[in-house]
Each structure stands twice: as C-alpha cells, then as structure tokens.
Amino acid sequence: MLIGLTYNGEYRMVQDEFATAPAWDEQWVERLKRLETRAWDDRVRCYGDELRTDIQSSIRKRGLPLDWVPDIEQDTWTTAIQKINEFDWQSIDKFYHWLRVVALNRVRMLKRKQYDELFSMDAIEDNEASSGISLDNFLYSNG
C-alpha cells in the first residue's frame, strides 16, 4: 500500500488514491498493454483533467468548437488503448507527452477535415447545381 503526505491545513499521512497501481515504472505500462481495466482507470483518473485542459487549449487555438472536447478526449483514450503496444517506456513524463501527441493529432485531423469540407470541390459543384451559380462565374465576378 502506498502512503502519501497531504496538506489539509496540516500535514498528515493518507492512503494514495492510486495505491492499487504499481509504482510509476515499466510495470504499469505492462498492465496497460495487457489491457487491465484498473490500470486504464487509474491513468484516466490521473491524467483526465489535464488532458481535457490541453485539448480545450488546442481547440481554442485553432478556432474549433469547444463542444468537440468530449469526442476528442474519448478518441484520444481509445487510440491510446489501441496503440499502447507501440509505446516504449522511458519515463512517466513520456507517457503523458505521448497522450498529448495523440490528442493533438486528433485535433489537427478534425481541423483538416473541417477545412476540406469548407473548400471541397464536390460541395462547390453540388452548390452550383442547386443554386445555378457556377464556380467559374463566381471567380469571374469576385476575383
């Protein structure tokens, strides 16, 4: 059992909430690779808030809707579970960095998808057919 020191007006010993997880070393990565639910629950509890904050920051920076945060967060954890066997343990900091890269890649992908949909030639052509305004006419008039 791991015991930690906390400050709640005074210092006192308390049981660590991650006491059931092995030490922060290669063992916990092996538990993740074996897809142990408890190990993943501990990681989500440990990194969830910080990861959500980082995702929100990335989304704001790119002008994307904040209501995408839960989907990106879920996709990040799903991708992490799917790709955990590719993760090479070096340190606890490397694990969180790896999670952030997974999340950032997801944000970038959604930004590209949004951009592609905005400037999709198929969508422009579909709009031409429904509105009667051709791309050539639009470019000639506006450009």
Side-chain angles (χ1 to χ4, degrees):
M1 175 183 309
L2 300 174
I3 301 294
L5 193 60
T6 188
Y7 183 76
N8 291 333
E10 62 182 75
Y11 285 102
R12 62 189 175 112
M13 300 297 279
V14 295
Q15 182 176 345
D16 186 347
E17 66 183 57
F18 302 109
T20 58
W24 297 91
D25 61 16
E26 221 168 336
Q27 291 177 352
W28 66 261
V29 174
E30 292 307 315
R31 290 182 63 217
L32 295 175
K33 289 181 178 183
R34 289 191 304 265
L35 302 178
E36 291 183 21
T37 302
R38 179 64 184 194
W40 281 102
D41 288 346
D42 288 345
R43 293 316 120 216
V44 170
R45 189 173 32 243
C46 179
Y47 295 117
D49 291 340
E50 189 175 356
L51 182 64
R52 190 173 312 108
T53 299
D54 287 342
I55 291 169
Q56 288 170 344
S57 176
S58 292
I59 283 178
R60 278 190 195 102
K61 184 188 290 187
R62 288 161 180 80
L64 297 170
L66 283 175
D67 60 345
W68 288 8
V69 171
D71 292 336
I72 293 170
E73 184 179 8
Q74 182 176 350
D75 289 346
T76 299
W77 287 111
T78 300
T79 301
I81 290 168
Q82 293 168 347
K83 296 187 178 225
I84 189 62
N85 287 314
E86 298 172 19
F87 176 72
D88 184 33
W89 164 261
Q90 293 174 15
S91 71
I92 189 67
D93 294 334
K94 295 292 182 186
F95 180 75
Y96 184 69
H97 176 76
W98 179 72
L99 277 177
R100 286 183 53 204
V101 169
V102 170
L104 181 58
N105 286 339
R106 184 67 181 148
V107 170
R108 288 175 175 163
M109 184 189 73
L110 290 172
K111 179 68 175 176
R112 277 192 306 272
K113 183 178 177 183
Q114 182 188 46
Y115 181 82
D116 290 346
E117 288 174 359
L118 185 62
F119 295 105
S120 164
M121 291 306 290
D122 291 337
I124 292 171
E125 289 171 2
D126 290 345
N127 190 35
E128 283 179 14
S130 65
S131 69
I133 299 174
S134 73
L135 177 60
D136 292 332
N137 188 16
F138 174 80
L139 292 174
Y140 177 77
S141 301
N142 297 298

